[in-house]
Amino acid sequence: MIPRLRTRAGRTGPSPGGFDRRLIAPMVLGSVLNPVNSSMIAVALVPIGVAFGAPPARTVWLVSALYLATAVGQPVMGRLVDMYGPRVLYLTGTALVGVAGLLGASAPSLGALIAARVLLGLGTSAAYPAAMRLTRSEAERTGRDSPAGVLAVLAVANQTVAVVGPALGGLLIGLGGWRTVFTVNVPLSAACLVLGALRLPRTPGRRQRGVDLPGMALFAVLLVALMLFLTDPRPDRWYLPVLSAVAATGFAVRELRVPDPFIDLRVLGGNGPLLTTYLRQFLGYTTAYAFMYGYTQWLEQGRGLSPSTAGLALLPLSVAALTASALTGRREAVRAKLLTGSLLQIAGSAALLLVGTDSPLWLLPAVGALLGVPQGLIGLATQNALYRQADPERIASAAGLLRTFMYLGALGASAATAAFYPRRADTAGLHDLALFMLTGSVLLLATTLPDRSLGRLTSRTPRKA
């Protein structure tokens, strides 16, 4: 657990008694750039494939490229935020989003479009770590030790945008074609740049020696190789996990030797609670993404619903997740949220075993609603746990790693879905996927139930400057 806050002597700023609310707009707008681009592309894949004559096996790289770039970019950008301050990285990252939007809007080929998505992934990786650093800095400035409300705003905003992303993408495509899904990033980038320039404080960075470029490169190799294998695990791709293992070994050797590493493995290795939080993030989101990927496909192929009807069947999932986040966001209650979330994931995974082609229609959205609540709870809980457990000097890079484990869960879920649906999404495959989800949910409960330290993460009384 991190030490309690101490007010920085001599520091002045707006609203000394509370969080500077002028920061919320740029923090929220910047942090939602990633989920909105992750979700809008879903409805653009088919028209993009038609435009370039590309099959789904190729257009899927528009999704994977963003995941790969973001999974690597989040901790890298986070470390740079810790070293140079949130303002410069926020402005740089959101400027890249605008450039990526222009490149995507004028891309002459699918390859150029994928390159734009990679740049988009890197650009959208800066804002969330910057927001976590700003939240920590404001807590130190004001002496208030409970930022649950601010963290809840970030979580709810990201979940809301992820839900409305496909609808927004469909609206944009209807108005101006699939390129508008990229063009919309230009005004969003401009808004972030204006808000960031006007409102983000010019805080000094905490640079000590230099940027650990070799460490970042080795981390990128080990993660990209691993994720490429997870996207399509086949025997003839055996070299990818081997390459990842070699890069991991080199990364560990370097990070343990350099004085100012990209990821301080000595500190991280001694922080068991934070490592467990990363594991919980992975387990929770593996189950969540497995349900979203696998259940949606089964509704259309196994149950025979149209895409629009399948979308309506999943609407209660989104509503339940947002409601759970909104109602519980201002209370940290990390252990209670994790326990409740894992138990509901177990119940929802078990309920999937009862679903079949002859199931009543009311059961289909009910299962989604049941599994929506833990999506809202677990994300909030791991975010609050990380805020308390991470080294305050490396809060941004720690937050970036939290996002990396979320995307690892997404890729693991995608690989599991492909394995259980080798030809089509049938009911037998759905039940196998449900057992996979049930196993992950039980493991999440097993890592939470005996951990009494989670109940001591929050302070009982906020301290004011």
Side-chain angles (χ1 to χ4, degrees):
M1 191 187 307
I2 64 172
R4 292 299 169 202
L5 302 175
R6 297 178 182 175
T7 305
R8 292 180 182 174
R11 181 173 177 177
T12 60
S15 306
F19 192 94
D20 183 3
R21 294 185 177 275
R22 298 179 305 167
L23 301 177
I24 293 178
M27 286 169 56
V28 169
L29 185 58
S31 67
V32 301
L33 291 175
N34 188 270
V36 75
N37 279 286
S38 297
S39 55
M40 279 196 306
I41 197 68
V43 293
L45 295 177
V46 172
I48 289 173
V50 172
F52 293 114
R58 292 182 61 199
T59 57
V60 73
W61 276 102
L62 293 168
V63 178
S64 300
L66 186 77
Y67 279 168
L68 286 167
T70 305
V72 174
Q74 289 273 354
V76 171
M77 289 291 193
R79 181 59 182 143
L80 295 177
V81 167
D82 285 330
M83 297 177 71
Y84 297 102
R87 178 187 171 91
V88 63
L89 269 300
Y90 179 96
L91 295 175
T92 301
T94 52
L96 284 178
V97 171
V99 174
L102 291 173
L103 290 176
S106 59
S109 65
L110 182 62
L113 208 58
I114 292 172
R117 291 282 289 179
V118 171
L119 187 61
L120 195 59
L122 293 175
T124 58
S125 293
Y128 179 72
M132 292 294 284
R133 164 55 65 190
L134 286 166
T135 301
R136 182 72 200 180
S137 297
E138 279 298 287
E140 292 174 351
R141 180 182 65 81
T142 63
R144 293 183 182 271
D145 200 25
S146 182
V150 177
L151 296 178
V153 169
L154 287 174
V156 172
N158 278 260
Q159 289 177 356
T160 302
V161 168
V163 170
V164 304
L168 175 61
L171 175 63
L172 291 172
I173 292 171
L175 292 174
W178 63 263
R179 291 187 186 272
T180 56
V181 171
F182 290 86
T183 309
V184 72
N185 286 291
V186 177
L188 290 175
S189 169
C192 287
L193 288 172
V194 171
L195 286 171
L198 292 176
R199 298 187 179 186
L200 297 188
R202 298 179 181 274
T203 54
R206 309 185 185 204
R207 183 177 179 182
Q208 297 177 4
R209 293 177 177 84
V211 180
D212 181 18
L213 292 177
M216 291 179 177
L218 287 168
F219 177 80
V221 171
L222 81 87
L223 199 57
V224 169
L226 175 62
M227 295 177 76
L228 285 174
F229 179 75
L230 288 176
T231 58
D232 187 15
R234 302 195 313 264
D236 62 338
R237 294 161 67 92
W238 59 268
Y239 59 91
L240 288 173
V242 172
L243 177 60
S244 181
V246 170
T249 302
F251 175 73
V253 170
R254 175 173 176 80
E255 300 303 277
L256 291 172
R257 290 182 177 178
V258 296
D260 192 20
F262 162 47
I263 297 176
D264 196 335
L265 296 182
R266 288 160 294 200
V267 173
L268 186 62
N271 192 341
L274 181 58
L275 291 175
T276 307
T277 292
Y278 288 142
L279 175 61
R280 293 183 184 117
Q281 176 89 338
F282 172 76
L283 292 172
Y285 276 96
T286 298
T287 297
Y289 278 109
F291 179 73
M292 284 193 290
Y293 295 154
Y295 193 54
T296 304
Q297 293 182 58
W298 178 83
L299 286 173
E300 295 183 32
Q301 294 186 336
R303 190 63 167 78
L305 302 182
S306 67
S308 58
T309 306
L312 288 175
L314 287 177
L315 186 59
L317 179 144
S318 304
V319 173
L322 292 174
T323 302
S325 296
L327 292 179
T328 66
R330 299 192 67 84
R331 292 180 58 84
E332 295 185 52
V334 172
R335 187 169 186 268
K337 288 177 181 176
L338 286 171
L339 286 175
T340 304
S342 57
L343 287 171
L344 288 176
Q345 279 196 339
I346 290 172
S349 301
L352 272 183
L353 296 172
L354 305 177
V355 171
T357 55
D358 56 348
S359 297
L361 283 176
W362 65 264
L363 181 61
L364 306 183
V367 173
L370 182 59
L371 281 163
V373 177
Q375 284 192 29
L377 296 177
I378 294 170
L380 279 173
T382 54
Q383 182 176 254
N384 279 285
L386 175 131
Y387 181 85
R388 297 295 182 185
Q389 295 164 339
D391 178 1
E393 299 298 313
R394 288 176 172 262
I395 184 67
S397 53
L401 272 177
L402 189 70
R403 285 287 182 95
T404 296
F405 277 89
M406 180 182 76
Y407 286 116
L408 285 173
L411 287 171
S414 180
T417 303
F420 294 127
Y421 295 157
R423 287 175 294 275
R424 63 187 306 273
D426 56 18
T427 301
L430 177 68
H431 290 169
D432 289 339
L433 186 65
L435 291 174
F436 171 80
M437 294 165 54
L438 187 62
T439 301
S441 302
V442 169
L443 289 174
L444 177 60
L445 179 64
T447 65
T448 304
L449 191 59
D451 191 352
R452 299 290 179 180
S453 68
L454 293 172
R456 299 191 293 271
L457 283 180
T458 58
S459 61
R460 291 182 175 83
T461 56
R463 291 161 61 178
K464 300 182 180 181

